[in-house]
Amino acid sequence: MEIFYADCLNNLQELHNDVAKTIEGLPLETLDWSPKPGVNSITVLIVHLTCSQRFLFGEVIGGQDIHRDRDAEFLAKGLAPATLIQHLNDSLKYIEVVLEGFRTREVTVGWVVGHALKHTATHLGHIQVMRDLWDQFKS
């Protein structure tokens, strides 16, 4: 894998690790909690994040029809931390396979990788805020 892609993949891995640390040990009640209607739960954020990554890498740059059901991502609930962490790990493995096949098209692939990094970092922030809100709510 080209060093550019390897570096980007490493950045995504670090963000995924931060997400995993943030949800470690949380009960389902916390993962599915929302402070009010219209605010996504931690579960929804992680499912949406990983499905978005699969879409960006698999469909946008890989040319594979992944049959994404975006609306279903926002209905996710009842997934344990280990299952959500597995979603993160599976997404990263999928991204690695897609990137292995690219040696050119850096601008297109670079845009997707950059967008995925920004998107992941944004939702990491959301997940961390939801965790903080939950901790305050339960106190």
Side-chain angles (χ1 to χ4, degrees):
M1 178 182 305
E2 289 185 18
I3 191 133
F4 170 78
Y5 302 141
D7 287 344
C8 291
L9 191 64
N10 184 56
N11 284 323
L12 273 173
Q13 177 68 65
E14 289 175 8
L15 289 166
H16 282 210
N17 290 345
D18 288 344
V19 171
K21 287 176 192 169
T22 301
I23 66 167
E24 192 174 305
L26 292 179
L28 289 178
E29 177 187 16
T30 304
L31 295 169
D32 290 339
W33 176 79
S34 173
K36 66 179 190 173
V39 176
N40 293 319
S41 69
I42 291 172
T43 296
V44 165
L45 289 167
I46 293 171
V47 169
H48 167 65
L49 171 65
T50 56
C51 290
S52 174
Q53 288 175 346
R54 187 173 181 87
F55 169 76
L56 288 168
F57 286 90
E59 194 159 321
V60 173
I61 64 172
Q64 304 168 9
D65 185 358
I66 63 159
H67 308 286
R68 182 181 185 191
D69 184 355
R70 190 173 184 278
D71 292 339
E73 297 167 19
F74 295 94
L75 302 175
K77 66 185 314 181
L79 302 176
T83 302
L84 293 170
I85 291 168
Q86 189 61 51
H87 277 265
L88 292 164
N89 293 339
D90 291 347
S91 180
L92 202 64
K93 287 176 190 169
Y94 182 78
I95 291 166
E96 184 174 10
V97 169
V98 172
L99 290 178
E100 282 289 344
F102 287 96
R103 300 290 177 238
T104 58
R105 296 177 38 182
E106 287 186 37
V107 173
T108 301
V109 175
W111 180 88
V112 169
V113 171
H115 182 78
L117 287 167
K118 290 187 299 184
H119 190 241
T120 302
T122 296
H123 287 314
L124 168 60
H126 294 151
I127 292 163
Q128 290 169 330
V129 166
M130 289 295 289
R131 170 71 189 254
D132 290 345
L133 287 171
W134 172 258
D135 290 343
Q136 291 175 11
F137 176 77
K138 289 312 252 184
S139 296

